[in-house]
């Protein structure tokens, strides 16, 4: 009985303190979280913009560089039977070559063959080729020729010198092969001059000079080395327009159609 009375008294004190109203705030002490002012205007919360990160003029900007190495795979190179329009093994990518050479030439018209001392004359040429390693290319050529001519009686009558400048499109049958056969056709200008002429035109029927248009066509065969050197063989027929170089006894003029068989060496890149 003695212990129960103090225990009941203590419990009643705790219960009364828990149910009691909280004490009034002290005006002298500021609250930790002041209440919002009901009269203050309500505004939307907007995010604060991030500070400007643009570099100042004198501030060095780090540059990130990447180093890549291109690797040419074997499948990127055209095969020997390919008709690709680009060859990465060449500096030009298409094949540009320069050749010089010589060979034989002659006329197909009997009257002209009877006028020159030999049915076969000498020929020399220089050629620039563009597109030797693609299906379609272009040849620009200079051709020179020389042949001794005679009168009807067989007397020497000087030298017939021919000068030709022509351009021809060429179709490369195997443009990426070591052995490349091709065909070509084009047009050009041809001039003939008789040097050291001893007899007049009225006596021989041979004019001192003549200019004509000519149209080359033919086929060739090129052999190429990996170093860039190449060897070329070709046969050409040149159809010529009407000429006044040689007047025959019946009053008509001889045709200046001609043929060529030549070889040349050069370099391509």
């Amino acid at each position: 009985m003695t212990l129960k009375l103090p225990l009941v008294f203590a419990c009643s004190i705790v219960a009364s303190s828990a149910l009691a109203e909280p004490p009034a705030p002290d005006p002298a002490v500021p609250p930790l979280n002041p209440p919002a002012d009901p009269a203050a205007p309500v505004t939307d919360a907007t995010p604060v913009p991030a500070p400007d990160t643009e570099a100042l003029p004198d501030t060095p900007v780090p540059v990130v560089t990447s180093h890549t190495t291109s690797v040419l795979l074997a499948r990127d190179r055209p095969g020997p039977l390919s008709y690709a329009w680009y060859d990465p093994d060449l500096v030009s990518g298409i094949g540009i070559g320069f050749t010089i050479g010589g060979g034989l030439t002659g006329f197909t018209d009997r009257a002209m063959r009877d006028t020159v001392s030999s049915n076969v004359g000498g020929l020399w040429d220089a050629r620039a080729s563009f597109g030797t390693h693609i299906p379609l290319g272009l040849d620009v050529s200079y051709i020179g020729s020389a042949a001794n001519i005679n009168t009807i009686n067989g007397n020497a009558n000087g030298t017939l010198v021919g000068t030709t400048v022509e351009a021809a499109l060429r179709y490369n049958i195997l443009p990426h092969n070591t052995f490349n056969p091709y065909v070509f056709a084009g047009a050009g200008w041809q001039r003939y001059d008789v040097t050291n002429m001893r007899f007049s035109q009225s006596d021989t029927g041979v004019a001192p000079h003549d200019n004509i248009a000519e149209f080359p066509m033919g086929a060739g065969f090129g052999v190429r080395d990996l170093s860039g050197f190449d060897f070329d063989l070709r046969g050409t027929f040149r159809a010529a327009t009407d000429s006044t170089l040689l007047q025959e006894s019946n009053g008509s003029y001889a045709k200046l159609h001609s043929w060529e068989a030549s070889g040349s060496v050069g370099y391509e890149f």
Side-chain angles (χ1 to χ4, degrees):
M1 187 67 181
T2 305
L3 293 177
K4 290 181 179 180
L5 290 176
L7 182 59
V8 172
F9 181 75
C11 291
S12 63
I13 294 176
V14 172
S16 62
S17 60
L19 297 175
E21 295 182 358
D26 189 354
V29 180
L32 295 178
N33 296 319
D37 186 2
V42 178
T43 59
D44 295 334
T46 57
V48 179
D52 189 6
T53 58
E54 182 179 358
L56 297 177
D58 297 333
T59 304
V61 178
V63 178
V64 179
T65 60
S66 61
H67 300 279
T68 60
T69 303
S70 59
V71 179
L72 183 64
L73 301 178
R75 64 175 178 270
D76 295 330
R77 297 187 175 94
L81 302 180
S82 171
Y83 280 87
W85 288 84
Y86 181 76
D87 191 337
D89 288 339
L90 299 175
V91 175
S92 64
I94 61 173
I96 298 177
F98 300 92
T99 60
I100 55 174
L104 303 175
T105 184
F107 294 102
T108 60
D109 186 83
R110 179 176 293 277
M112 286 301 303
R113 294 201 306 269
D114 293 340
T115 301
V116 295
S117 60
S118 174
N119 290 335
V120 178
L123 172 144
W124 56 95
D125 61 46
R127 182 173 298 109
S129 300
F130 304 90
T132 58
H133 282 249
I134 57 177
L136 192 64
L138 174 68
D139 290 339
V140 179
S141 308
Y142 160 80
I143 301 100
S145 63
N148 294 326
I149 58 175
N150 298 325
T151 64
I152 299 175
N153 297 326
N155 298 320
N157 193 29
T159 303
L160 180 64
V161 178
T163 301
T164 304
V165 178
E166 64 188 22
L169 290 176
R170 58 183 283 171
Y171 174 69
N172 298 302
I173 299 175
L174 296 175
H176 299 286
N177 203 311
T178 302
F179 304 96
N180 175 39
Y182 60 88
V183 293
F184 61 90
W189 166 82
Q190 197 169 44
R191 178 181 174 88
Y192 285 102
D193 291 282
V194 180
T195 62
N196 301 321
M197 193 171 185
R198 301 178 183 180
F199 300 93
S200 65
Q201 181 178 359
S202 59
D203 294 332
T204 62
V206 179
H209 56 78
D210 194 12
N211 293 278
I212 59 175
E214 54 91 30
F215 303 92
M217 60 194 76
F221 187 82
V223 181
R224 305 186 280 221
D225 186 77
L226 294 178
S227 62
F229 289 97
D230 66 285
F231 179 74
D232 188 271
L233 292 173
R234 66 169 52 195
T236 308
F237 170 75
R238 290 185 173 87
T241 56
D242 292 340
S243 167
T244 57
L245 180 67
L246 176 64
Q247 187 176 18
E248 301 182 56
S249 58
N250 60 5
S252 62
Y253 289 94
K255 302 296 184 182
L256 299 186
H257 306 321
S258 62
W259 58 268
E260 168 196 338
S262 62
S264 59
V265 294
Y267 183 82
E268 61 182 10
F269 59 92

